[in-house]
Amino acid sequence: ESEAQVHDEL
Amino acid sequence: MNIFRFAGDMTHLISIVVLLLKIYATKSCSGISLKTQELYVIVFLARYLDLFTDFISVYNTVMKLVFIGSSLAIVWCMRMHRAVKRTYDKELDTFRHYFLVLGSFVLALLLHEKFTFQEIFWAFSIYLEAVAILPQLVMLQRSGNVDNLTGQYVFFLGAYRAFYILNWIYRFFTEPHFSRWIACLSGLVQTAFYADFFYYYFISWKNNAKLQLPA
């Protein structure tokens, strides 16, 4: 399960 | 954060400053597509839903607020400001941008990283941003002569996503589990839309002539 990647880009 | 992404964010910021400068300094929005500006408001609101839930950094939060605030201010100006709204070329800004919103949302329902409310709206904002410039590019071709500030605005807006592509390449090689294929593919399409504009912009710069887009 891919960790919910937080969108760190604008 | 890497130099490419920082350069991209600063270029994006410059494009917004140039547009605000044009509108406030000349009290005119001639040549600017209100539809593109409205699409950007939707892009930022849909993308920054996590503004109050995920804190990444002060820089990230401040920039999100700046992008949301400035895009709202530009649309407000073009719709409500007495002097500015008179200069809006409504008859040249005829792109049916609702189809862009609908198409991007349908695509987001099909192609996303996770089927969650936030991820669907994030993918929607990525796809919508890729096509948001179309009404503006169509309007530039219709209006023929492009004033300097408008030309610079579109140039910086196109350049910012090109820097982001370099950022994704850099992160791909430096971060083990980096995979942003949605943003990357969409960013390539977005930058490709500017290709012919960049070409005519370069020609006008080389010949030190006024920017002319073929009708």
Side-chain angles (χ1 to χ4, degrees):
Chain A
E1 176 71 5
S2 73
E3 86 286 349
Q5 59 174 4
V6 172
H7 297 295
D8 61 348
E9 296 181 345
L10 289 173
Chain B
M1 172 62 82
N2 60 65
I3 186 64
F4 303 111
R5 182 143 65 97
F6 185 68
D9 290 342
M10 290 306 106
T11 306
H12 194 183
L13 197 59
I14 290 171
S15 76
I16 291 170
V17 168
V18 165
L19 181 54
L20 283 169
L21 188 72
K22 171 199 165 61
I23 291 177
Y24 278 93
T26 66
K27 282 288 178 285
S28 156
C29 63
S30 69
I32 300 298
S33 163
L34 173 60
K35 301 188 173 199
T36 283
Q37 300 309 317
E38 288 169 345
L39 292 180
Y40 279 127
V41 169
I42 300 170
V43 164
F44 292 134
L45 291 178
R47 186 172 306 173
Y48 301 149
L49 292 174
D50 63 349
L51 181 61
F52 301 111
T53 55
D54 297 339
F55 177 78
I56 307 238
S57 68
V58 173
Y59 170 81
N60 187 272
T61 302
V62 167
M63 290 298 276
K64 286 177 177 176
L65 291 170
V66 166
F67 287 155
I68 291 174
S70 58
S71 57
L72 283 170
I74 288 164
V75 169
W76 179 85
C77 234
M78 292 182 71
R79 279 186 171 277
M80 311 295 277
H81 189 290
R82 209 176 34 268
V84 173
K85 72 178 186 180
R86 268 204 306 267
T87 63
Y88 168 48
D89 308 315
K90 188 177 177 58
E91 64 290 340
L92 286 176
D93 195 13
T94 58
F95 199 101
R96 282 189 291 279
H97 60 324
Y98 300 111
F99 290 125
L100 298 177
V101 177
L102 194 68
S104 304
F105 194 75
V106 168
L107 187 59
L109 289 174
L110 301 173
L111 273 178
H112 43 261
E113 265 150 25
K114 280 181 77 175
F115 196 80
T116 63
F117 180 81
Q118 193 156 320
E119 281 302 318
I120 299 278
F121 271 86
W122 181 81
F124 164 60
S125 82
I126 291 289
Y127 302 137
L128 187 60
E129 186 188 359
V131 295
I133 197 63
L134 290 177
Q136 179 64 68
L137 291 177
V138 165
M139 187 170 180
L140 289 185
Q141 295 206 326
R142 287 220 176 101
S143 58
N145 66 325
V146 179
D147 71 77
N148 287 344
L149 283 173
T150 305
Q152 282 155 9
Y153 162 66
V154 176
F155 172 77
F156 285 118
L157 202 50
Y160 116 80
R161 214 63 181 167
F163 277 121
Y164 256 76
I165 292 170
L166 297 179
N167 152 65
W168 290 318
I169 294 169
Y170 176 84
R171 292 188 77 175
F172 177 78
F173 285 112
T174 55
E175 295 174 27
H177 305 295
F178 182 76
S179 82
R180 287 280 169 74
W181 54 277
I182 286 186
C184 210
L185 292 179
S186 191
L188 283 169
V189 168
Q190 177 171 336
T191 308
F193 281 136
Y194 287 81
D196 69 333
F197 173 84
F198 283 147
Y199 170 73
Y200 291 112
Y201 194 80
F202 172 71
I203 296 289
S204 79
W205 172 77
K206 197 159 69 77
N207 303 338
N208 199 12
K210 198 128 179 66
L211 177 59
Q212 291 285 335
L213 291 178

